[in-house]
């Protein structure tokens, strides 16, 4: 799947989940909390592809998401890719093939998802608002890059960086400070998980079972069979899948916001 589809799926899942909690579990969030969770989940849904690096010294290549903050994120992607490759070789069994890059390995596993979600929560608990503002800055940048890819491409990474810094600062100024922020960790974790599911419906698949060894393989790639797998960039992805996810996101957002708007105008439902 391409960047925009990943980001969109993250946003749709978070909005739909927030709507379901609101409707059936009486769990209500402020519009700002919903917006923050949605942006962070969309960014989280791109995070695993930060393992696709390019040529840092020449400022070329890499996943779209690796170019969010220019050469800085490209460098981070290089580090993530090398760590992933290191973990691959450290845990590989005899039937796992040789690899020369770490893309779609460590960052596309369940333990990584849990670690990132837990790590984010721990950072927010330990450093409070300052951790929140840093994480928001990073995740909103990824989300902008993914959701508005054409705009981001034209605007360039400096504008994207400034826009995410502005959004993070606004949130910082408006969030209450005297509490933990478990929802942010959850949003990052859910985003990563949605990314893995998105890659699973493509042909290449993901090592979703790691670290469970199967037939002398630790890194078994699990994906859909060729016949029904989603081809990256195909009409099914770019038109059908994105339209469906946009519809889910919009309906959930309307469902969340409409009651309070109606209440404001004293309309009972
Ligand atoms: Zn991926």
């Amino acid at each position: 799947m391409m960047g925009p589809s990943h980001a969109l799926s993250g946003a749709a899942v978070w909005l739909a989940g927030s709507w379901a909690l609101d409707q059936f579990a009486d769990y209500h969030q402020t519009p700002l909390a919903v917006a923050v969770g949605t942006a962070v989940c969309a960014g989280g849904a791109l995070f695993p592809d930060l393992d696709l690096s390019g040529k840092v010294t020449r400022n070329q290549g890499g996943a779209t998401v690796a170019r969010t903050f220019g050469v800085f994120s490209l460098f981070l992607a290089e580090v993530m890719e090398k760590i992933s490759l290191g973990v691959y070789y450290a845990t590989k069994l005899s039937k796992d093939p040789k690899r020369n890059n770490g893309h779609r390995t460590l960052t596309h596993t369940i333990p990584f998802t849990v670690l990132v979600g837990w790590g984010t929560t721990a950072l927010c608990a330990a450093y409070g608002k300052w951790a929140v503002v840093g994480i928001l800055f990073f995740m909103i940048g990824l989300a902008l890059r993914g959701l508005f890819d054409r705009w981001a491409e034209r605007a360039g990474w400096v504008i994207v960086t400034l826009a995410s810094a502005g959004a993070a600062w606004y949130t910082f100024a408006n969030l209450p400070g005297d509490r933990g922020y478990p929802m942010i960790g959850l949003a990052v974790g859910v985003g990563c998980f949605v990314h893995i599911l998105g890659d699973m419906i493509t042909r290449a698949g993901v090592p979703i079972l790691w670290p469970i060894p199967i037939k002398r393989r630790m890194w078994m790639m699990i994906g859909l069979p060729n016949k029904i797998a989603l081809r990256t960039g195909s009409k099914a992805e770019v038109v059908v899948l994105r339209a469906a996810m946009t519809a889910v996101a919009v309906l959930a957002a309307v469902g969340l916001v409409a009651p309070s708007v109606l209440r404001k105008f004293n309309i009972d439902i």
Side-chain angles (χ1 to χ4, degrees):
M1 263 162 74
M2 294 155 80
S5 312
H6 279 303
L8 203 51
S9 62
V13 165
W14 192 261
L15 282 168
S18 299
W19 176 81
L21 284 177
D22 190 85
Q23 286 288 310
F24 307 116
D26 241 357
Y27 185 86
H28 308 294
Q29 303 177 71
T30 62
L32 180 65
V34 174
V36 169
T38 305
V40 171
C41 196
L46 287 163
F47 190 64
D49 273 352
L50 259 180
D51 66 346
L52 186 55
S53 60
K55 297 190 176 80
V56 180
T57 44
R58 272 188 273 158
N59 196 8
Q60 283 173 342
T64 330
V65 58
R67 309 187 58 83
T68 307
F69 304 108
V71 77
F72 302 103
S73 45
L74 208 53
F75 178 73
L76 179 67
E78 181 78 24
V79 174
M80 292 246 293
E81 190 263 313
K82 288 291 174 291
I83 293 175
S84 301
L85 192 61
V87 173
Y88 181 84
Y89 272 103
T91 59
K92 118 183 219 315
L93 297 176
S94 58
K95 285 274 174 15
D96 283 312
K98 285 205 173 80
R99 296 188 67 112
N100 46 29
N101 78 74
H103 178 50
R104 276 196 178 196
T105 56
L106 180 66
T107 61
H108 289 63
T109 62
I110 302 289
F112 179 82
T113 299
V114 173
L115 186 76
V116 169
W118 172 81
T120 308
T121 308
L123 272 179
C124 292
Y127 300 102
K129 267 193 156 188
W130 288 106
V132 173
V133 83
I135 290 158
L136 283 178
F137 163 68
F138 189 75
M139 288 300 165
I140 292 173
L142 299 190
L144 286 176
R145 181 85 218 197
L147 291 173
F148 310 107
D149 60 324
R150 292 217 185 96
W151 165 79
E153 195 77 48
R154 257 184 288 125
W157 69 270
V158 178
I159 303 284
V160 173
T161 304
L162 290 175
S164 32
W169 190 256
Y170 174 83
T171 311
F172 178 78
N174 288 285
L175 271 185
D178 50 349
R179 41 170 280 221
Y181 299 92
M183 285 305 257
I184 293 181
L186 184 67
V188 175
V190 169
C192 288
F193 186 63
V194 171
H195 178 102
I196 296 176
L197 293 183
D199 276 352
M200 255 181 106
I201 59 170
T202 65
R203 202 158 42 157
V206 287
I208 186 103
L209 295 174
W210 186 85
I212 302 167
I214 293 156
K215 294 186 197 152
R216 293 217 215 128
R217 284 195 68 175
M218 192 74 103
W219 296 91
M220 184 78 94
M221 291 292 178
I222 314 278
L224 288 182
N226 286 357
K227 262 190 195 154
I228 48 167
L230 191 75
R231 269 183 304 116
T232 299
S234 63
K235 263 215 175 103
E237 180 191 334
V238 178
V239 181
V240 183
L241 202 65
R242 282 191 206 168
M245 289 186 301
T246 308
V248 168
V250 170
L251 283 176
V254 169
L256 279 165
V257 175
S260 64
V261 173
L262 292 176
R263 231 173 287 129
K264 242 185 206 153
F265 292 99
N266 276 328
I267 302 170
D268 266 327
I269 45 166

